[in-house]
Amino acid sequence: MNILEARKIHKSYGNKFTRQEVLKGIDISIKKGEFVTIMGASGSGKTTLLNVLSTIDRLSHGSLEIEGEELTKSKEKKLAEFRKHHLGFIFQDYNLLDTLTVKENILLPLSITNISKKEALEKFQMVAADLGIKDIAGKYPNEISGGQKQRTSAARAFIHEPSIIFADEPTGALDSKAASDLLGKLSTLNEKRKATIVMVTHDPVAASYSSRVIFIKDGQIYTQLNKGEESRNTFLKDIMKTQGVLGGVHNEH
Amino acid sequence: MSINQLIFRSFQRNVKSYYLYVFALVFSAALYFAFVTLQYDPSMAEASESTRGLVAIRAASVLLIVIVTVFLLYANNLFIKRRSKEIGLFQLIGMTKNRIFKILTAENVILYFGSLFIGTFFGFAFSKLIAMTLFKITGVDAVASLYFSDEAFIQTLLVFGSIYILIMLMNYLFIRNQSILSLFHITSKTESRVSKISSIEILIGIFGILLILAGYYVSARLFDGDFVSINHLFLAMIFILASVIFGTYFFYKGSVRFITNMIRKNKGGYLNINQVMSLSSIMFRMRSNAMLLTIITTVSALAIGLLSLNYISYYSAERNAENTAPTDFAFVTSEDAVAFGEVLKESRISYSEQRVDVLRVEIDIKEITGNDIENKMRVAVISDRYVEGIDVSQGETLFSGYSDALLTLLDLKDSGTVTFHGLTAVFNQEYVGIVNDSVLPLYFTGGLPAVIVNETTFTMLANDMDPDIQFDSSLYIGFTLADRETVEAADTLFQSMPFSQDSGNNSQYSVALQQKINMGTTMFSVGFLGLTFLITSGCILYFKQVEEGDEEQPNYKILRKLGFTQNDLLQGILRKQLFNFGIPLVVGLMHSYFAVKSGWFIFGTELWTPMLIVMGLYAALYSVFGFLSVLHYKKVIKMSL
């Protein structure tokens, strides 16, 4: 079953004269429980694609359906409500509120549901245990490390069990150990909770944790790779090979 | 690119973020110039001929300088912070700090003195309005002309020139003490973390509340006779001021944080969006806000207190006039009344006449007063026949001529027995209350309430009166003009009568006018200052909110990405602003209430009406700034995604 269905997505910026087309007709469908990575060089439009898919940005034309709901023509307020209830986000720069403790940050998405406090705290215990951030629950974001911040951000994305979790370069600001730690946790949660994850990255190692990689070049889908039964290492080699053919910025690893 | 070009470019680009600064400047320049112009205005000479009035205006202008300086320094502080990134960039491309300072100085010269001239112009236009207001309040019949005073202009230039030097000094220190990195990060710099709430903090909070209460307590006892000498009184006032101000600071510093923290702890980390927007943001900034809120509270309390006392005296002027002469004109001899009646008829001014027989009787109010000093007093007694709309039954008595000062002084109960002492007979009457209207002039009442009794009782008293204590005249003749418009003409006629200065003959209009002239200038200066306090404190709070809004914009962006709607965020902001503007207002109102309560009777005879009017108006005007800040937040939230 497809949880996300996007057809002929176009996105352009600027006015009539300075028009710049970033996405030029992209078709994507994502199944429930999939861990999909979108890869591409800088400027290929991968972050724009993620923003459009996650309804943060509006598409110029095309159609977008999440969980069978047509979102192209929805009003901004309705889109916000949709994000609030059905989507989870992990961003490169963590996007934690520095006025809130780790625990408060994580529990934030639950506050709009009608969950009781007891249930909310139970959920927090579970997700915090999964991501290993129980000990820092009472700390503020500026008191913890980047890896811890990103795991907090991930916990926030998972806690209300959204239909899809969008991750924009989640490892971009992390050192390699923290990065592999986070990715391991993400893929575990993907399997354990059957959570659907869509991730954007330019790091092939990060991409190798997912089950499918979509390559984008100049606003169009270039190719895609399925992990299938391969091991992560072979998959990584495939990804790097494709990236080499793709050109643009190569990996630094 | 030469430096000049650079200055020009950055000037062009920054116009948007300048608007606050320019507004602050134009506003304060206009205010100051208008005020100083008044000082030098020749037509003002009449209104401020009393030295007291002159002193009031002088004192006000000094205070005004202080307020304006603080206000401008604050605005500049906000302004330079906004531009820190640009300053960092200049440094990054290799400009020396001195160079940057020069650029800033040059830029500021254009901006500052440009705004100063605009402000002066506004002040010039505005000064006529102010002068007219002043004349209206004081009742002086001078035509306010548009008058440009060179002295005022020079004085304004001097004062604002000095403030400019101060601002430049501040900018210099700011640039000197910053490194490139810190300049880039200054806007995103977060305040030191809310650490664990210690027990010391709770103690500080409680101590603060105790201090405030102690201040209130002493203020309530201030004029109760406990402090007899001037020195004691002065010390007590200093104590009140200090304990209330420090108490307020500790209250904000300790209690507010403690209470918000309690609420937050109670939630166990499960905060909803409203609480995220209000509670956590308030806590986060409480450390630096405590000082600001204390200043705003003190300034508000000061302004409300001053304005209230002021309005009390102004408001009481009319009441006093009414108490002096309840009708437009009052006479105590028939000849004078007839003579004036003739004159009025000649001028075709129609009026109605009322003749009231007045007795003076000694009464004992022991039963109905809470005050044990004065029990027996000699009061003027009239029959209820003369008082329209009031009917007193046999055996009952009613007081009239109510004022808050009187009530405080006599501490009258709602009911009880009053004993009348005639020449021979002594009898009791049931006291049924006191009415607001004054029915007899001051000549008869002597400041005490007039006593209204039933016609039968009155006849009885008249037959049994003590001739030794009667007034020179036992007749009060009141003239009420048919048309209020004729009051000025009638007053002129009255003043031209030979008996106009005789005791007992009064014109209500001229009494009120005299009172207003006496206190008008002082009142005007205080009113002007109060308004300035209000506007500057409102502006500072607003600026602070603009700053906070800028700092929190990334948070709004995150929340909106997560799917919280603009409306969700705005609801939280509303609560936050209710706190940010509400708390200083409420605490300020309380402070001023106790301040006014302790000494109002020195200023006038009415407490509640004028005080509530001032408080209501102040709260309303003050809310405008809260409303503006919400609008700003709305814009910031809208722009954030």
Side-chain angles (χ1 to χ4, degrees), chain A residues 10-11 28 37 50 80 101 120 127 131 135 151 180 194 207 215 230 241 252:
Chain A
H10 286 263
K11 176 72 189 173
I28 283 183
T37 301
L50 192 84
T101 62
V127 78
L131 287 159
D135 302 336
R151 276 182 278 147
S180 65
K194 297 276 167 275
F215 289 91
E230 290 174 59
K241 221 183 284 168
E252 300 93 319

Side-chain angles (χ1 to χ4, degrees), chain A residues 99 104 140, chain B residues 194-195 197 201-202 251-269 271 275-287 289 293 575-576 579-580 583:
Chain A
T99 53
E104 285 163 350
Y140 284 89
Chain B
V194 184
S195 51
I197 300 289
E201 203 141 46
I202 304 171
F251 169 69
Y252 288 138
K253 187 125 191 149
S255 312
V256 172
R257 261 181 71 178
F258 176 65
I259 293 165
T260 45
N261 206 46
M262 283 280 282
I263 301 173
R264 197 169 174 181
K265 264 228 171 92
N266 208 23
K267 297 274 170 198
L271 297 178
Q275 289 148 353
V276 169
M277 297 296 287
S278 50
L279 209 62
S280 66
S281 162
I282 288 164
M283 272 181 78
F284 191 59
R285 295 202 152 72
M286 205 56 218
R287 189 167 292 185
N289 273 357
L293 286 180
R575 291 181 187 207
K576 175 174 147 180
F579 172 88
N580 273 331
I583 284 279

Side-chain angles (χ1 to χ4, degrees), chain A residues 137-189:
Chain A
K139 291 224 156 75
Y140 284 89
N142 72 342
E143 297 168 328
I144 58 179
S145 73
Q148 285 170 326
K149 276 186 205 170
Q150 199 56 295
R151 276 182 278 147
T152 305
S153 178
R156 184 180 64 188
F158 277 102
I159 194 153
H160 58 309
E161 285 160 18
S163 315
I164 308 181
I165 290 162
F166 291 96
D168 185 6
E169 303 266 12
T171 56
L174 302 183
D175 63 68
S176 57
K177 189 182 170 303
S180 65
D181 190 31
L182 177 80
L183 288 163
K185 294 238 153 71
L186 280 186
S187 62
T188 321
L189 282 171

Side-chain angles (χ1 to χ4, degrees), chain A residues 56 76 80 83-84 89 91 95 97-100 103-104 107-108 110-112 115 117 121 140 142, chain B residues 190 193 264 266-272 276 280 284 555 558-566 568:
Chain A
I56 288 178
E76 202 218 293
R83 285 204 294 278
K84 203 156 67 175
F89 292 93
F91 301 97
N95 281 1
L97 297 183
D98 44 14
T99 53
L100 300 183
K103 189 176 179 184
E104 285 163 350
L107 284 171
L108 191 58
L110 280 186
S111 68
I112 45 108
I115 284 181
K117 188 175 151 190
L121 294 183
Y140 284 89
N142 72 342
Chain B
T190 51
R193 195 63 41 206
R264 197 169 174 181
N266 208 23
K267 297 274 170 198
Y270 193 27
L271 297 178
N272 66 32
V276 169
S280 66
F284 191 59
N555 283 0
I558 296 168
L559 286 167
R560 285 194 62 192
K561 272 187 187 170
L562 292 181
F564 290 98
T565 57
Q566 296 187 36
D568 288 342

Side-chain angles (χ1 to χ4, degrees), chain B residues 433-476:
Chain B
I434 186 159
V435 290
N436 204 343
D437 309 298
S438 103
V439 291
L440 282 180
L442 187 68
Y443 175 80
F444 294 108
T445 60
L448 291 171
V451 174
I452 307 173
V453 294
N454 185 271
E455 176 71 18
T456 332
T457 320
F458 184 78
T459 323
M460 207 164 85
L461 283 168
N463 292 333
D464 188 31
M465 68 180 184
D466 182 350
D468 293 342
I469 61 168
Q470 291 313 307
F471 302 102
D472 292 343
S473 158
S474 291
L475 182 65
Y476 154 58

